[in-house]
Amino acid sequence: MEDCLAKKMEITVSEAEKRTGRNAMNMQETYTAYLIETRWVMRAHSESMWMRHSKWLLRNYLSVTYPHIVVPPLPEKRADFVWHKLSADNMDPDFVERRRIGLENFLLRVASHPVLCQDKIFYSFLTQEGGWKEMVNETGFQLKADSRLKALNATFRVKNPDKRFTELKHYSDELQSVISHLLRVRARVADRLYGVYKVHGNYGRVFRYAASIDDILEEEEHYADQLKEYLFYAEALRAVCRKHELMQYDLEMAAQDLTSKKQQCEELATGTVRTFSLKGMTSKLFGQETPEQREAKIKVLEEQIQEGEEQLKSKNLEGRDFVKSAWADIERFKEQKNHDLKEALISYAVMQISMCKKGIQVWTNAKECFSKM
């Protein structure tokens, strides 16, 4: 962690600007661009650039290039789990500001990661504006991306799934479920609190503290955003599980193909057919192959078997390396998650206690006023 980029470079998303332009369909649209500023800690040199869609390309690149890593998520594009008085408009200034903070947090997460921070494409993203997209596309990362259909097929057809990754999927589902429940409850409590305070606000100047409820609940929204980050982290965990399933599926298919070829070679060598096949029926109907033909086929199969054994060995090594690297990053993620959520929930509780103390003081003052009447 001493060599991570975040220790050497200050990264901020300092501004958000509403712009109008044309999309890929040549239709006019309104969007928000964000200004990234970077400054080397030990140097006076600094850079700045406006960012729009590049952030999505960056995260896709990182997810494909580092499938064993729990890649930090981007903040939500549209507000969810909000109390009804809060705008869900993605152009609302308060939402844009919270999204700016979320994008800055995403870049800092990547810059602090022991592996991702060393990626040359990420470094280029932070330090050069022109030509970055061409550079990332030249890596060919999109060709390495697995199709959803293939991933779904692997999920249902893997015969020997790794129990650790099966448990990790359950862990990610539970994490998502618990945080979703927390956010829904918080939104309901915020609605109720808003209503109560607004009613009190009509009783006179002595209850003027109630007028600050909008600011209080907006401050709460920042804690909700911290929870939402881990809501989206759950999908990043499942992405690692899917990649492992794909690797396990390819391994099992390679082992099955190798077994089939070895059986064919044995049958040709002994002249016995242990399983029904169309080729075997054809031989019975139209006569056996000549010894020369059989020898040629055996030679081809032996070469294919040798290649298959090497390929299987390579896939086994690749799988073991993936599991080792993935599990190290998953443990790192869990430690980070426990620290962050503990800190966020304690801060939220402290804020609630402070708010309640102020409320008690207001009611105490009100009681004294009434007693003097």
Side-chain angles (χ1 to χ4, degrees):
M1 289 299 292
E2 292 297 323
D3 295 330
C4 71
L5 192 60
K7 297 280 186 182
K8 304 173 184 177
M9 178 186 284
E10 291 179 359
I11 304 169
T12 56
V13 179
S14 57
E15 290 182 42
E17 183 180 279
K18 187 185 291 186
R19 295 182 177 182
T20 302
R22 294 194 172 275
N23 58 22
M25 303 296 292
N26 200 32
M27 297 177 64
Q28 189 166 320
E29 63 173 348
T30 301
Y31 61 91
T32 304
Y34 297 86
L35 181 65
I36 303 175
E37 294 185 334
T38 56
R39 187 181 74 83
W40 289 98
V41 174
M42 302 301 291
R43 305 181 214 165
H45 183 67
S46 62
E47 299 279 353
S48 65
M49 65 199 74
W50 287 95
M51 169 180 69
R52 186 196 174 189
H53 293 309
S54 300
K55 54 189 176 291
W56 301 105
L57 184 61
L58 173 64
R59 191 181 184 281
N60 289 341
Y61 160 78
L62 293 174
S63 298
V64 172
T65 308
Y66 303 95
H68 59 282
I69 285 176
V70 186
V71 178
L74 289 164
E76 60 187 345
K77 292 185 70 174
R78 288 175 174 78
D80 201 0
F81 297 103
V82 296
W83 52 290
H84 76 281
K85 287 293 181 181
L86 192 69
S87 174
D89 180 10
N90 64 342
M91 290 295 175
D92 178 76
D94 290 330
F95 175 73
V96 170
E97 170 59 16
R98 292 202 317 277
R99 184 162 168 75
R100 181 197 65 76
I101 294 170
L103 289 170
E104 182 176 289
N105 183 63
F106 164 72
L107 294 176
L108 290 173
R109 290 283 196 203
V110 176
S112 301
H113 192 282
V115 176
L116 300 181
C117 73
Q118 299 178 46
D119 185 85
K120 293 180 180 179
I121 294 293
F122 174 60
Y123 177 79
S124 299
F125 174 83
L126 294 173
T127 56
Q128 64 182 71
E129 188 169 11
W132 178 83
K133 288 184 181 179
E134 291 74 17
M135 185 184 298
V136 72
N137 285 323
E138 284 173 5
T139 64
F141 81 96
Q142 290 168 323
L143 298 174
K144 301 175 188 175
D146 300 303
S147 70
R148 291 187 178 182
L149 183 61
K150 185 180 177 183
L152 186 65
N153 189 42
T155 300
F156 289 104
R157 295 186 64 181
V158 168
K159 295 177 181 177
N160 299 301
D162 190 315
K163 289 183 179 179
R164 290 171 297 178
F165 286 91
T166 301
E167 289 171 359
L168 183 63
K169 285 174 73 175
H170 294 323
Y171 173 86
S172 66
D173 291 341
E174 186 177 5
L175 177 65
Q176 188 174 45
S177 176
V178 169
I179 292 181
S180 296
H181 180 69
L182 276 173
L183 289 167
R184 281 194 292 268
V185 169
R186 184 262 159 185
R188 289 200 298 269
V189 170
D191 279 331
R192 183 178 178 184
L193 197 62
Y194 181 83
V196 169
Y197 272 62
K198 285 304 179 184
V199 169
H200 289 168
N202 294 327
Y203 290 156
R205 290 178 61 191
V206 73
F207 297 108
R208 63 182 179 272
Y209 173 64
S212 66
I213 189 61
D214 298 87
D215 295 332
I216 292 169
L217 292 179
E218 181 60 36
E219 184 181 348
E220 277 191 15
E221 208 63 35
H222 290 287
Y223 294 111
D225 288 338
Q226 288 177 294
L227 291 178
K228 287 177 184 178
E229 181 188 16
Y230 281 93
L231 184 70
F232 305 137
Y233 256 124
E235 176 54 33
L237 283 171
R238 284 195 288 269
V240 175
C241 294
R242 283 196 299 270
K243 183 59 183 179
H244 180 264
E245 285 174 342
L246 278 164
M247 295 182 74
Q248 181 65 22
Y249 178 68
D250 286 342
L251 178 66
E252 290 180 2
M253 291 298 100
Q256 184 178 315
D257 184 59
L258 180 61
T259 301
S260 175
K261 283 183 168 56
K262 284 182 176 180
Q263 184 178 320
Q264 290 177 44
C265 190
E266 183 186 345
E267 289 173 353
L268 282 169
T270 60
T272 58
V273 179
R274 291 188 296 174
T275 56
F276 172 81
S277 68
L278 181 61
K279 190 178 290 184
M281 286 297 296
T282 304
S283 297
K284 287 183 179 181
L285 289 172
F286 299 103
Q288 296 292 329
E289 296 171 317
T290 65
E292 291 78 11
Q293 290 175 322
R294 190 162 59 249
E295 284 298 323
K297 286 189 175 182
I298 289 173
K299 187 177 180 181
V300 170
L301 280 169
E302 285 175 342
E303 290 175 356
Q304 291 176 344
I305 288 168
Q306 186 177 354
E307 290 175 3
E309 286 175 339
E310 290 174 0
Q311 187 181 43
L312 191 62
K313 183 180 178 181
S314 175
K315 286 183 180 294
N316 268 309
L317 286 172
E318 184 184 1
R320 283 197 290 269
D321 288 343
F322 179 91
V323 171
K324 183 180 177 181
S325 301
W327 218 251
D329 196 62
I330 288 162
E331 291 301 320
R332 178 206 59 80
F333 163 78
K334 287 183 177 180
E335 186 177 339
Q336 170 194 298
K337 181 215 72 172
N338 291 340
H339 174 271
D340 289 350
L341 291 186
K342 180 180 178 181
E343 191 176 77
L345 291 172
I346 288 174
S347 298
Y348 178 76
V350 168
M351 190 196 78
Q352 293 293 323
I353 291 169
S354 175
M355 183 178 70
C356 289
K357 283 181 177 178
K358 290 179 182 178
I360 289 171
Q361 187 61 50
V362 167
W363 281 103
T364 301
N365 294 339
K367 181 180 178 181
E368 290 175 357
C369 287
F370 288 139
S371 298
K372 293 176 182 178
M373 286 182 176

